[in-house]
Amino acid sequence: MGLPQLPALPAPSSWFPGHMMRFTRQLPALLKRTNVVLEIRDARLPLTSINRTLEGALRKWRLERGWDPNNPGRRFFAVEACEHIVVLNKRDIVPEWGLEPFQKAMEKKFPHQRLHFASCQRQKDIRNLSDMLVKIAKDFPHAMELNVLVLGMPNVGKSTLLNALRNMGIKGRTPKAFQTSANPGMTQALSTRLKLSLDPLVYAYDSPGIMLPFLGRGEEGAERGVKLALIAGIKEGLYDMRALAGYLLYRLNILNPNAPAYLPLLPPGSSPTNDLEEFLSLLAQRMAMIKRGGVMDLTRATVYFVRWWRGEVGTMETDQSLPTADTQAWGFDFQWTMSPEDRVRAEQDYGLVVQEKMERCIEDYVMMSEREEVEEGNVSETQIKKKAVKEEKERRKARYLSKR
């Protein structure tokens, strides 16, 4: 099987309902009574699930609390806690070998953020995160309480993680604090305060998942939209399931071309394939998805494949073996090529080589984001028109006032 080719992707769909806009406008005021921002991202999409629409407000919040804009590790004054913790949720479905190199690469690029890997299935992860919040609260003993604001894209597991933190921090029987759903958009308003610890007092607010107002233009925007749709971060129905299945097959073949994660779904003895039609036929055969006349039900197989990836049906085992192909990847956001020189160095320290590759991927992501901002590639045509209309109204108002 040759190197898979990126399939044709649909144009990115826009999904930014009113409750997301309202919360985005409320954020600066909410940060004034916030001590810790707990930003949840999906470990499979550690870059794509960065909520870029909120970064400006978070930067201003840090500056108002005394952090040096030129030295992210230096703080001029520290009257109250001000920490930005990034939680990479669902760590159990990405290979362990990439966690440490990724953490080092991110700390190098974003030294002002604390990075924490978590899975709600691992009590140790929840305990460590709870201890981290308690320690921050104890570092400011004169404060009456620590207020934590939970942010993130839709369906990255914010409510589920908060429920786990509550159960860890409050002894005895505790009812489920927040409703959760496999579909995005369950939380549509800022929650009431949820107590996470009694001594010291730690409270948390759950917030609506905030999607990007516009996913971007060209291939980058299209791929970003498909990635987020694959983790159910975008409203169901905005993307064709077959397009999602085609991209998912492509990505899984890059992650492990010799034994991709989907092989156990196919009939015994099946080989990896880049052909979506062939793959869906084999999947339908194995799952006995047959229509009248003995025709394989490829539509059902398509939906099953995507739902399996989301963890809604069946089970998926994470491949922990080190990649051996020339083209390597970790999650859906990191992909690099191993040169002969890289392979020689990797024999001595594979983690260091991976860290360097990840640093380059992160730098490329940051440069792409900055380029999109300059070229307004992250702004839709409708938003550009609204901005132009607003500016024209302001000019007319200024001319009118100047003549009075």
Side-chain angles (χ1 to χ4, degrees):
M1 186 181 75
L3 188 68
Q5 299 297 313
L6 180 68
L9 301 176
S13 298
S14 178
W15 184 58
F16 197 72
H19 70 269
M20 294 186 182
M21 177 63 75
R22 285 192 299 273
F23 179 77
T24 304
R25 290 172 177 167
Q26 293 170 359
L27 182 60
L30 293 172
L31 289 173
K32 292 184 182 301
R33 48 192 172 101
T34 296
N35 305 113
V36 176
V37 168
L38 205 61
E39 184 184 354
I40 316 300
R41 299 176 190 167
D42 191 302
R44 295 166 294 181
L45 303 176
L47 301 181
T48 302
S49 58
I50 293 176
N51 205 318
R52 293 181 292 136
T53 60
L54 309 178
E55 288 183 352
L58 293 177
R59 194 179 304 116
K60 184 179 179 183
W61 170 68
R62 283 178 50 83
L63 295 179
E64 289 174 347
R65 299 292 177 89
W67 287 99
D68 186 345
N70 301 314
N71 182 357
R74 179 186 176 193
R75 195 173 179 187
F76 295 120
F77 57 87
V79 178
E80 56 183 326
C82 176
E83 296 289 346
H84 182 186
I85 301 175
V86 174
V87 178
L88 270 294
N89 197 20
K90 305 178 184 178
R91 64 169 287 179
D92 51 320
I93 46 182
V94 293
E96 287 280 337
W97 56 262
L99 298 182
E100 185 176 346
F102 173 76
Q103 182 155 9
K104 290 179 178 178
M106 288 292 284
E107 286 173 350
K108 196 169 181 180
K109 185 62 183 178
F110 304 103
H112 61 284
Q113 298 173 354
R114 298 194 192 192
L115 202 65
H116 179 78
F117 292 98
S119 167
C120 293
Q121 314 304 321
R122 296 166 57 117
Q123 291 292 305
K124 182 180 178 182
D125 294 343
I126 305 302
R127 167 61 66 191
N128 289 341
L129 182 56
S130 178
D131 290 346
M132 188 185 302
L133 294 174
V134 167
K135 183 181 183 305
I136 293 172
K138 288 182 176 179
D139 287 342
F140 295 86
H142 300 296
M144 295 181 64
E145 59 194 30
L146 186 82
N147 286 302
V148 179
L149 179 62
V150 181
L151 301 174
M153 290 267 197
N155 214 37
V156 291
K158 298 185 298 298
S159 300
T160 302
L161 187 70
L162 271 178
N163 287 335
L165 280 171
R166 177 181 173 87
N167 292 334
M168 180 66 68
I170 307 295
K171 301 301 180 184
R173 296 188 61 184
T174 56
K176 189 175 181 180
F178 295 124
Q179 283 188 313
T180 58
S181 171
N183 298 315
M186 169 64 76
T187 305
Q188 295 197 358
L190 190 72
S191 71
T192 55
R193 292 203 306 174
L194 179 71
K195 191 178 292 183
L196 300 184
S197 170
L198 295 173
D199 185 21
L201 274 174
V202 178
Y203 291 94
Y205 297 90
D206 194 11
S207 68
I210 306 297
M211 179 52 65
L212 300 174
F214 184 63
L215 293 170
R217 307 181 193 282
E219 190 174 282
E220 288 98 349
E223 191 168 4
R224 186 180 295 134
V226 170
K227 286 178 180 179
L228 293 170
L230 271 173
I231 64 167
I234 295 179
K235 184 180 178 182
E236 193 75 32
L238 292 180
Y239 276 86
D240 176 61
M241 279 289 185
R242 194 174 181 86
L244 299 186
Y247 183 79
L248 178 57
L249 182 67
Y250 158 76
R251 274 294 166 195
L252 293 180
N253 281 331
I254 287 179
L255 285 172
N256 190 340
N258 298 319
Y262 61 73
L263 269 189
L265 298 178
L266 305 183
S270 297
S271 300
T273 176
N274 292 322
D275 189 310
L276 180 61
E277 197 80 13
E278 178 187 358
F279 168 78
L280 292 175
S281 297
L282 290 170
L283 178 59
Q285 176 187 337
R286 176 67 186 274
M287 298 297 168
M289 297 174 178
I290 304 173
K291 298 189 288 188
R292 286 184 179 180
V295 179
M296 297 298 169
D297 193 340
L298 302 190
T299 301
R300 281 182 61 198
T302 301
V303 174
Y304 183 92
F305 184 40
V306 174
R307 291 186 64 201
W308 164 80
W309 169 251
R310 292 173 177 170
E312 298 171 12
V313 296
T315 57
M316 178 179 61
E317 292 187 8
T318 304
D319 179 23
Q320 297 294 345
S321 59
L322 294 178
T324 56
D326 291 337
T327 299
Q328 300 183 1
W330 186 75
F332 280 14
D333 283 345
F334 288 93
Q335 182 175 325
W336 60 86
T337 301
M338 294 287 280
S339 67
E341 293 78 10
D342 291 331
R343 291 194 174 281
V344 171
R345 293 174 55 228
E347 291 178 1
Q348 303 298 321
D349 193 338
Y350 181 76
L352 179 60
V353 174
V354 171
Q355 178 187 335
E356 292 172 355
K357 299 291 185 181
M358 287 182 168
E359 286 175 8
R360 190 167 301 172
C361 291
I362 294 169
E363 191 61 41
D364 289 345
Y365 164 81
V366 171
M367 290 176 62
M368 180 184 69
S369 299
E370 291 174 348
R371 186 181 71 247
E372 285 181 336
E373 282 194 23
V374 171
E375 299 173 355
E376 291 192 320
N378 60 342
V379 183
S380 68
E381 296 293 341
T382 302
Q383 291 168 322
I384 292 174
K385 289 178 182 177
K386 286 182 178 180
K387 181 181 178 183
V389 169
K390 183 178 179 181
E391 290 175 349
E392 178 61 26
K393 286 182 178 179
E394 290 175 351
R395 282 195 295 269
R396 291 182 181 182
K397 183 179 178 181
R399 285 200 299 268
Y400 172 76
L401 293 175
S402 65
K403 293 177 181 178
R404 293 183 63 181

